[in-house]
């Protein structure tokens, strides 16, 4: 039953979209703070418009193409690591975690 | 025995730094009741999963903009109350001292005023019962 609920959530695209958006948002905000950047400095650094930067910082919606996401990650000092994991492996791991809890 | 109880959530897929609970009324999770209100609506369930992802992210001490995760203030309750948003779905939660984050229930865009009022009353009732 526990695995089933998790599986239902993990099967929804929005779960992953919010997760990836959140990771990128944090990387960008951390980079801005570490480098004492303002919004316009970030726009110049990422080579995107002020409007797009505002959209990222205020709405948290990245919604860029994959190549732009990779460019942004590299520009904020991160290597984007992407992997596909078999659903069955994740669900077994989740079940093990639930037993530990 | 009181009307309210807490259960560890099974709706957050991964372990988090801050424990996440669901508020139950008469043994039934209010979040699960909200989820069960939309059994055949794939879009709503997708956005509920998105909002749960936001709760997972913030419970791992990562930051999100206020449009995704905001503090609801001006309620006079002695705890922090939050709203997690994904598309048309909002999930409401509060921070319970020495426990973690407690998901109360969900709501839809356009009905926030009434939903927040109801959520705040539920939290007050829970707090009063816990005294």
């Amino acid at each position: 039953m526990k695995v089933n609920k998790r599986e239902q959530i993990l099967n929804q695209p929005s779960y992953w979209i919010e997760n990836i958006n959140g990771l990128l948002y944090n990387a960008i905000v951390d980079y801005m703070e570490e480098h004492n950047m303002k919004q316009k400095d970030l726009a110049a650094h990422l080579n995107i418009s002020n409007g797009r930067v505002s959209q990222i910082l205020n709405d948290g919606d990245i919604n860029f193409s994959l190549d732009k996401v990779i460019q942004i990650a590299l520009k904020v000092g991160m290597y984007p690591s992407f992997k596909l994991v078999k659903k069955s492996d994740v669900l077994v791991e989740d079940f093990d975690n639930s037993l530990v809890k | 025995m009181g009307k309210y109880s807490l259960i560890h959530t099974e709706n957050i897929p991964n372990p988090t730094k801050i424990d996440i609970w669901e508020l139950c009324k008469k043994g039934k999770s209010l979040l699960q009741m909200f989820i069960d209100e939309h059994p055949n609506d794939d879009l709503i369930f997708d956005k509920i999963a998105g909002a749960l992802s936001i709760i997972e992210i913030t419970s791992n001490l990562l930051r999100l903009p206020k449009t995704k995760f905001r503090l609801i203030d001006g309620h006079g309750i002695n705890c922090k109350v939050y709203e997690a948003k994904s598309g048309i779905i909002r999930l409401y939660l509060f921070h319970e001292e020495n426990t973690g984050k407690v998901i109360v229930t969900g709501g839809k865009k356009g009905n926030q005023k009434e939903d927040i009022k109801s959520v705040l009353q539920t939290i007050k009732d829970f707090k009063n019962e816990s005294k």
Side-chain angles (χ1 to χ4, degrees):
Chain A
M1 189 63 188
K2 286 187 173 185
V3 171
N4 192 34
K5 269 194 185 179
R6 290 191 167 96
E7 188 175 2
Q8 285 176 15
I9 301 295
L10 289 170
N11 279 338
Q12 305 308 312
S14 285
Y15 173 81
W16 298 101
I17 292 166
E18 296 292 1
N19 188 282
I20 293 166
N21 272 337
L23 289 176
L24 270 169
Y25 176 85
N26 269 272
I28 291 167
V29 171
D30 285 349
Y31 188 85
M32 279 180 80
E33 286 177 0
E34 280 164 21
H35 294 80
N36 203 18
M37 279 179 155
K38 294 202 166 83
Q39 199 167 302
K40 65 175 171 38
D41 304 322
L42 182 71
H45 182 68
L46 299 180
N47 196 25
I48 57 176
S49 70
N50 276 326
R52 278 299 241 165
V53 168
S54 175
Q55 197 182 351
I56 293 171
L57 297 179
N58 297 327
D59 300 341
D61 282 326
I62 311 294
N63 203 19
F64 285 115
S65 63
L66 186 57
D67 63 339
K68 197 70 192 173
V69 166
I70 291 170
Q71 283 174 35
I72 290 173
L74 293 172
K75 290 241 179 178
V76 296
M78 295 286 177
Y79 289 126
S81 172
F82 178 76
K83 60 178 179 178
L84 295 173
V85 184
K86 277 188 180 175
K87 285 183 178 182
S88 54
D89 291 349
V90 171
L91 296 171
V92 167
E93 191 182 311
D94 277 346
F95 183 68
D96 291 344
N97 285 334
S98 74
L99 292 180
V100 171
K101 235 181 197 177
Chain B
M1 191 177 146
K3 191 164 61 170
Y4 292 102
S5 57
L6 300 179
I7 52 163
H8 256 126
T9 185
E10 296 172 3
N11 283 300
I12 299 286
N14 295 299
T16 50
K17 290 179 182 170
I18 298 173
D19 278 349
I20 309 172
W21 303 76
E22 290 175 23
L23 183 63
C24 297
K25 192 174 179 179
K26 294 177 183 169
K28 287 185 178 173
S29 159
L30 298 174
L31 173 65
Q32 196 56 51
M33 285 164 72
F34 174 72
I35 293 172
D36 292 343
E37 281 173 20
H38 312 93
N40 300 314
D41 196 325
D42 292 344
L43 175 67
I44 285 186
F45 189 69
D46 178 58
K47 294 304 174 191
I48 290 172
L52 289 166
S53 181
I54 285 168
I55 293 172
E56 184 181 300
I57 291 165
T58 54
S59 299
N60 280 321
L61 307 177
L62 295 177
R63 293 171 288 181
L64 285 177
K66 285 177 185 172
T67 48
K68 297 274 181 193
F69 191 79
R70 75 176 177 103
L71 189 65
I72 296 171
D73 49 20
H75 47 68
I77 306 173
N78 191 23
C79 68
K80 287 181 174 173
V81 181
Y82 302 96
E83 179 189 72
K85 173 190 160 190
S86 180
I88 59 166
I89 289 296
R90 280 90 177 107
L91 295 183
Y92 299 99
L93 57 152
F94 65 97
H95 190 87
E96 178 71 352
E97 198 77 16
N98 301 320
T99 303
K101 284 182 175 159
V102 180
I103 303 172
V104 182
T105 187
K108 286 186 208 165
K109 183 182 178 180
N111 207 40
Q112 285 154 286
K113 207 172 170 183
E114 291 81 0
D115 289 337
I116 290 171
K117 199 175 161 187
S118 165
V119 164
L120 293 175
Q121 188 57 53
T122 302
I123 297 170
K124 276 180 193 168
D125 292 345
F126 168 74
K127 293 274 183 190
N128 285 335
E129 192 180 272
S130 307
K131 276 179 188 171

PDB file of all heavy atoms in Angstrom, chain B residues 34-58:
ATOM      1  N   PHE B  34      -9.169  14.867   0.547  1.00  0.00           N
ATOM      2  CA  PHE B  34      -9.130  15.840  -0.560  1.00  0.00           C
ATOM      3  C   PHE B  34      -8.716  15.138  -1.859  1.00  0.00           C
ATOM      4  O   PHE B  34      -9.323  15.357  -2.913  1.00  0.00           O
ATOM      5  CB  PHE B  34      -8.160  16.980  -0.224  1.00  0.00           C
ATOM      6  CG  PHE B  34      -7.942  17.937  -1.362  1.00  0.00           C
ATOM      7  CD1 PHE B  34      -8.946  18.819  -1.750  1.00  0.00           C
ATOM      8  CD2 PHE B  34      -6.746  17.952  -2.060  1.00  0.00           C
ATOM      9  CE1 PHE B  34      -8.756  19.696  -2.814  1.00  0.00           C
ATOM     10  CE2 PHE B  34      -6.545  18.827  -3.123  1.00  0.00           C
ATOM     11  CZ  PHE B  34      -7.554  19.700  -3.496  1.00  0.00           C
ATOM     12  N   ILE B  35      -7.691  14.286  -1.766  1.00  0.00           N
ATOM     13  CA  ILE B  35      -7.236  13.553  -2.966  1.00  0.00           C
ATOM     14  C   ILE B  35      -8.368  12.672  -3.495  1.00  0.00           C
ATOM     15  O   ILE B  35      -8.627  12.617  -4.705  1.00  0.00           O
ATOM     16  CB  ILE B  35      -5.982  12.695  -2.643  1.00  0.00           C
ATOM     17  CG1 ILE B  35      -4.783  13.594  -2.336  1.00  0.00           C
ATOM     18  CG2 ILE B  35      -5.650  11.741  -3.799  1.00  0.00           C
ATOM     19  CD1 ILE B  35      -3.553  12.869  -1.812  1.00  0.00           C
ATOM     20  N   ASP B  36      -9.073  12.020  -2.583  1.00  0.00           N
ATOM     21  CA  ASP B  36     -10.132  11.094  -2.988  1.00  0.00           C
ATOM     22  C   ASP B  36     -11.359  11.796  -3.579  1.00  0.00           C
ATOM     23  O   ASP B  36     -12.212  11.156  -4.183  1.00  0.00           O
ATOM     24  CB  ASP B  36     -10.567  10.226  -1.782  1.00  0.00           C
ATOM     25  CG  ASP B  36      -9.458   9.266  -1.360  1.00  0.00           C
ATOM     26  OD1 ASP B  36      -8.530   9.044  -2.164  1.00  0.00           O
ATOM     27  OD2 ASP B  36      -9.521   8.748  -0.230  1.00  0.00           O
ATOM     28  N   GLU B  37     -11.427  13.124  -3.369  1.00  0.00           N
ATOM     29  CA  GLU B  37     -12.555  13.880  -3.952  1.00  0.00           C
ATOM     30  C   GLU B  37     -12.453  13.979  -5.472  1.00  0.00           C
ATOM     31  O   GLU B  37     -13.395  14.369  -6.145  1.00  0.00           O
ATOM     32  CB  GLU B  37     -12.575  15.316  -3.386  1.00  0.00           C
ATOM     33  CG  GLU B  37     -13.175  15.430  -2.007  1.00  0.00           C
ATOM     34  CD  GLU B  37     -12.998  16.837  -1.438  1.00  0.00           C
ATOM     35  OE1 GLU B  37     -12.776  17.789  -2.209  1.00  0.00           O
ATOM     36  OE2 GLU B  37     -13.054  16.965  -0.208  1.00  0.00           O
ATOM     37  N   HIS B  38     -11.248  13.687  -6.018  1.00  0.00           N
ATOM     38  CA  HIS B  38     -11.032  13.843  -7.466  1.00  0.00           C
ATOM     39  C   HIS B  38     -10.498  12.542  -8.063  1.00  0.00           C
ATOM     40  O   HIS B  38      -9.386  12.510  -8.593  1.00  0.00           O
ATOM     41  CB  HIS B  38     -10.039  14.981  -7.729  1.00  0.00           C
ATOM     42  CG  HIS B  38     -10.362  16.229  -6.962  1.00  0.00           C
ATOM     43  ND1 HIS B  38      -9.814  16.512  -5.730  1.00  0.00           N
ATOM     44  CD2 HIS B  38     -11.196  17.237  -7.245  1.00  0.00           C
ATOM     45  CE1 HIS B  38     -10.291  17.665  -5.295  1.00  0.00           C
ATOM     46  NE2 HIS B  38     -11.136  18.126  -6.192  1.00  0.00           N
ATOM     47  N   PRO B  39     -11.282  11.474  -7.984  1.00  0.00           N
ATOM     48  CA  PRO B  39     -10.752  10.155  -8.365  1.00  0.00           C
ATOM     49  C   PRO B  39     -10.385   9.998  -9.839  1.00  0.00           C
ATOM     50  O   PRO B  39      -9.461   9.285 -10.163  1.00  0.00           O
ATOM     51  CB  PRO B  39     -11.894   9.198  -7.994  1.00  0.00           C
ATOM     52  CG  PRO B  39     -13.117  10.034  -8.008  1.00  0.00           C
ATOM     53  CD  PRO B  39     -12.695  11.419  -7.606  1.00  0.00           C
ATOM     54  N   ASN B  40     -11.083  10.684 -10.718  1.00  0.00           N
ATOM     55  CA  ASN B  40     -10.825  10.463 -12.143  1.00  0.00           C
ATOM     56  C   ASN B  40     -10.270  11.693 -12.848  1.00  0.00           C
ATOM     57  O   ASN B  40     -10.303  11.776 -14.071  1.00  0.00           O
ATOM     58  CB  ASN B  40     -12.118  10.012 -12.844  1.00  0.00           C
ATOM     59  CG  ASN B  40     -12.630   8.723 -12.252  1.00  0.00           C
ATOM     60  OD1 ASN B  40     -11.860   7.784 -12.041  1.00  0.00           O
ATOM     61  ND2 ASN B  40     -13.913   8.683 -11.928  1.00  0.00           N
ATOM     62  N   ASP B  41      -9.784  12.642 -12.065  1.00  0.00           N
ATOM     63  CA  ASP B  41      -9.275  13.871 -12.668  1.00  0.00           C
ATOM     64  C   ASP B  41      -7.751  13.834 -12.689  1.00  0.00           C
ATOM     65  O   ASP B  41      -7.085  14.162 -11.712  1.00  0.00           O
ATOM     66  CB  ASP B  41      -9.782  15.088 -11.887  1.00  0.00           C
ATOM     67  CG  ASP B  41      -9.612  16.367 -12.682  1.00  0.00           C
ATOM     68  OD1 ASP B  41      -8.610  16.460 -13.426  1.00  0.00           O
ATOM     69  OD2 ASP B  41     -10.468  17.253 -12.579  1.00  0.00           O
ATOM     70  N   ASP B  42      -7.195  13.420 -13.833  1.00  0.00           N
ATOM     71  CA  ASP B  42      -5.739  13.254 -13.947  1.00  0.00           C
ATOM     72  C   ASP B  42      -4.995  14.572 -13.769  1.00  0.00           C
ATOM     73  O   ASP B  42      -3.908  14.604 -13.192  1.00  0.00           O
ATOM     74  CB  ASP B  42      -5.379  12.648 -15.316  1.00  0.00           C
ATOM     75  CG  ASP B  42      -5.868  11.217 -15.425  1.00  0.00           C
ATOM     76  OD1 ASP B  42      -6.185  10.626 -14.376  1.00  0.00           O
ATOM     77  OD2 ASP B  42      -5.934  10.692 -16.560  1.00  0.00           O
ATOM     78  N   LEU B  43      -5.564  15.664 -14.288  1.00  0.00           N
ATOM     79  CA  LEU B  43      -4.885  16.958 -14.194  1.00  0.00           C
ATOM     80  C   LEU B  43      -4.755  17.379 -12.730  1.00  0.00           C
ATOM     81  O   LEU B  43      -3.690  17.819 -12.285  1.00  0.00           O
ATOM     82  CB  LEU B  43      -5.654  18.034 -14.979  1.00  0.00           C
ATOM     83  CG  LEU B  43      -5.086  19.450 -14.834  1.00  0.00           C
ATOM     84  CD1 LEU B  43      -3.705  19.555 -15.482  1.00  0.00           C
ATOM     85  CD2 LEU B  43      -6.011  20.489 -15.445  1.00  0.00           C
ATOM     86  N   ILE B  44      -5.824  17.239 -11.981  1.00  0.00           N
ATOM     87  CA  ILE B  44      -5.787  17.638 -10.564  1.00  0.00           C
ATOM     88  C   ILE B  44      -4.798  16.763  -9.797  1.00  0.00           C
ATOM     89  O   ILE B  44      -4.000  17.267  -9.010  1.00  0.00           O
ATOM     90  CB  ILE B  44      -7.207  17.590  -9.959  1.00  0.00           C
ATOM     91  CG1 ILE B  44      -7.980  18.800 -10.493  1.00  0.00           C
ATOM     92  CG2 ILE B  44      -7.171  17.602  -8.430  1.00  0.00           C
ATOM     93  CD1 ILE B  44      -9.338  19.001  -9.911  1.00  0.00           C
ATOM     94  N   PHE B  45      -4.813  15.467 -10.032  1.00  0.00           N
ATOM     95  CA  PHE B  45      -3.885  14.596  -9.303  1.00  0.00           C
ATOM     96  C   PHE B  45      -2.433  14.928  -9.660  1.00  0.00           C
ATOM     97  O   PHE B  45      -1.547  14.916  -8.804  1.00  0.00           O
ATOM     98  CB  PHE B  45      -4.176  13.115  -9.574  1.00  0.00           C
ATOM     99  CG  PHE B  45      -3.387  12.223  -8.664  1.00  0.00           C
ATOM    100  CD1 PHE B  45      -3.661  12.178  -7.304  1.00  0.00           C
ATOM    101  CD2 PHE B  45      -2.329  11.476  -9.154  1.00  0.00           C
ATOM    102  CE1 PHE B  45      -2.910  11.391  -6.445  1.00  0.00           C
ATOM    103  CE2 PHE B  45      -1.575  10.676  -8.302  1.00  0.00           C
ATOM    104  CZ  PHE B  45      -1.867  10.625  -6.947  1.00  0.00           C
ATOM    105  N   ASP B  46      -2.208  15.271 -10.927  1.00  0.00           N
ATOM    106  CA  ASP B  46      -0.857  15.670 -11.362  1.00  0.00           C
ATOM    107  C   ASP B  46      -0.396  16.900 -10.586  1.00  0.00           C
ATOM    108  O   ASP B  46       0.744  16.970 -10.116  1.00  0.00           O
ATOM    109  CB  ASP B  46      -0.884  15.954 -12.869  1.00  0.00           C
ATOM    110  CG  ASP B  46       0.464  16.427 -13.391  1.00  0.00           C
ATOM    111  OD1 ASP B  46       1.448  15.680 -13.231  1.00  0.00           O
ATOM    112  OD2 ASP B  46       0.539  17.545 -13.943  1.00  0.00           O
ATOM    113  N   LYS B  47      -1.295  17.869 -10.426  1.00  0.00           N
ATOM    114  CA  LYS B  47      -0.919  19.104  -9.721  1.00  0.00           C
ATOM    115  C   LYS B  47      -0.797  18.867  -8.209  1.00  0.00           C
ATOM    116  O   LYS B  47       0.003  19.514  -7.547  1.00  0.00           O
ATOM    117  CB  LYS B  47      -1.923  20.227 -10.020  1.00  0.00           C
ATOM    118  CG  LYS B  47      -1.918  20.670 -11.475  1.00  0.00           C
ATOM    119  CD  LYS B  47      -0.540  21.101 -11.949  1.00  0.00           C
ATOM    120  CE  LYS B  47      -0.499  21.397 -13.425  1.00  0.00           C
ATOM    121  NZ  LYS B  47       0.881  21.556 -13.935  1.00  0.00           N
ATOM    122  N   ILE B  48      -1.584  17.947  -7.668  1.00  0.00           N
ATOM    123  CA  ILE B  48      -1.413  17.584  -6.257  1.00  0.00           C
ATOM    124  C   ILE B  48      -0.002  17.008  -6.069  1.00  0.00           C
ATOM    125  O   ILE B  48       0.705  17.352  -5.112  1.00  0.00           O
ATOM    126  CB  ILE B  48      -2.490  16.571  -5.805  1.00  0.00           C
ATOM    127  CG1 ILE B  48      -3.865  17.249  -5.737  1.00  0.00           C
ATOM    128  CG2 ILE B  48      -2.135  15.977  -4.430  1.00  0.00           C
ATOM    129  CD1 ILE B  48      -5.032  16.284  -5.496  1.00  0.00           C
ATOM    130  N   ALA B  49       0.423  16.154  -7.012  1.00  0.00           N
ATOM    131  CA  ALA B  49       1.780  15.588  -6.951  1.00  0.00           C
ATOM    132  C   ALA B  49       2.826  16.698  -7.045  1.00  0.00           C
ATOM    133  O   ALA B  49       3.852  16.652  -6.350  1.00  0.00           O
ATOM    134  CB  ALA B  49       1.972  14.569  -8.069  1.00  0.00           C
ATOM    135  N   GLY B  50       2.550  17.711  -7.875  1.00  0.00           N
ATOM    136  CA  GLY B  50       3.463  18.853  -7.991  1.00  0.00           C
ATOM    137  C   GLY B  50       3.570  19.607  -6.669  1.00  0.00           C
ATOM    138  O   GLY B  50       4.669  19.969  -6.237  1.00  0.00           O
ATOM    139  N   ALA B  51       2.446  19.826  -6.021  1.00  0.00           N
ATOM    140  CA  ALA B  51       2.454  20.536  -4.732  1.00  0.00           C
ATOM    141  C   ALA B  51       3.151  19.693  -3.652  1.00  0.00           C
ATOM    142  O   ALA B  51       3.854  20.227  -2.793  1.00  0.00           O
ATOM    143  CB  ALA B  51       1.025  20.883  -4.312  1.00  0.00           C
ATOM    144  N   LEU B  52       2.974  18.374  -3.701  1.00  0.00           N
ATOM    145  CA  LEU B  52       3.682  17.495  -2.758  1.00  0.00           C
ATOM    146  C   LEU B  52       5.191  17.565  -2.995  1.00  0.00           C
ATOM    147  O   LEU B  52       5.978  17.541  -2.043  1.00  0.00           O
ATOM    148  CB  LEU B  52       3.177  16.057  -2.894  1.00  0.00           C
ATOM    149  CG  LEU B  52       1.761  15.813  -2.356  1.00  0.00           C
ATOM    150  CD1 LEU B  52       1.225  14.461  -2.834  1.00  0.00           C
ATOM    151  CD2 LEU B  52       1.729  15.878  -0.826  1.00  0.00           C
ATOM    152  N   SER B  53       5.586  17.680  -4.255  1.00  0.00           N
ATOM    153  CA  SER B  53       7.004  17.833  -4.591  1.00  0.00           C
ATOM    154  C   SER B  53       7.554  19.113  -3.966  1.00  0.00           C
ATOM    155  O   SER B  53       8.669  19.134  -3.435  1.00  0.00           O
ATOM    156  CB  SER B  53       7.164  17.857  -6.113  1.00  0.00           C
ATOM    157  OG  SER B  53       8.504  17.987  -6.481  1.00  0.00           O
ATOM    158  N   ILE B  54       6.766  20.183  -4.010  1.00  0.00           N
ATOM    159  CA  ILE B  54       7.178  21.465  -3.419  1.00  0.00           C
ATOM    160  C   ILE B  54       7.353  21.319  -1.903  1.00  0.00           C
ATOM    161  O   ILE B  54       8.318  21.818  -1.324  1.00  0.00           O
ATOM    162  CB  ILE B  54       6.136  22.553  -3.776  1.00  0.00           C
ATOM    163  CG1 ILE B  54       6.336  22.940  -5.240  1.00  0.00           C
ATOM    164  CG2 ILE B  54       6.236  23.765  -2.861  1.00  0.00           C
ATOM    165  CD1 ILE B  54       5.224  23.772  -5.818  1.00  0.00           C
ATOM    166  N   ILE B  55       6.443  20.596  -1.271  1.00  0.00           N
ATOM    167  CA  ILE B  55       6.563  20.369   0.180  1.00  0.00           C
ATOM    168  C   ILE B  55       7.821  19.537   0.471  1.00  0.00           C
ATOM    169  O   ILE B  55       8.550  19.801   1.436  1.00  0.00           O
ATOM    170  CB  ILE B  55       5.290  19.690   0.726  1.00  0.00           C
ATOM    171  CG1 ILE B  55       4.099  20.657   0.610  1.00  0.00           C
ATOM    172  CG2 ILE B  55       5.479  19.250   2.179  1.00  0.00           C
ATOM    173  CD1 ILE B  55       2.748  20.041   0.938  1.00  0.00           C
ATOM    174  N   GLU B  56       8.083  18.556  -0.385  1.00  0.00           N
ATOM    175  CA  GLU B  56       9.293  17.733  -0.213  1.00  0.00           C
ATOM    176  C   GLU B  56      10.556  18.602  -0.324  1.00  0.00           C
ATOM    177  O   GLU B  56      11.465  18.504   0.504  1.00  0.00           O
ATOM    178  CB  GLU B  56       9.314  16.625  -1.272  1.00  0.00           C
ATOM    179  CG  GLU B  56      10.477  15.660  -1.120  1.00  0.00           C
ATOM    180  CD  GLU B  56      10.473  14.594  -2.217  1.00  0.00           C
ATOM    181  OE1 GLU B  56       9.492  13.839  -2.319  1.00  0.00           O
ATOM    182  OE2 GLU B  56      11.455  14.532  -2.978  1.00  0.00           O
ATOM    183  N   ILE B  57      10.581  19.481  -1.336  1.00  0.00           N
ATOM    184  CA  ILE B  57      11.751  20.347  -1.557  1.00  0.00           C
ATOM    185  C   ILE B  57      11.991  21.241  -0.336  1.00  0.00           C
ATOM    186  O   ILE B  57      13.103  21.337   0.176  1.00  0.00           O
ATOM    187  CB  ILE B  57      11.540  21.226  -2.819  1.00  0.00           C
ATOM    188  CG1 ILE B  57      11.555  20.370  -4.079  1.00  0.00           C
ATOM    189  CG2 ILE B  57      12.597  22.318  -2.915  1.00  0.00           C
ATOM    190  CD1 ILE B  57      11.005  21.081  -5.316  1.00  0.00           C
ATOM    191  N   THR B  58      10.937  21.896   0.139  1.00  0.00           N
ATOM    192  CA  THR B  58      11.110  22.832   1.251  1.00  0.00           C
ATOM    193  C   THR B  58      11.392  22.090   2.564  1.00  0.00           C
ATOM    194  O   THR B  58      12.017  22.646   3.460  1.00  0.00           O
ATOM    195  CB  THR B  58       9.868  23.739   1.426  1.00  0.00           C
ATOM    196  OG1 THR B  58       8.702  22.907   1.554  1.00  0.00           O
ATOM    197  CG2 THR B  58       9.685  24.650   0.240  1.00  0.00           C
TER     198      THR B  58
END
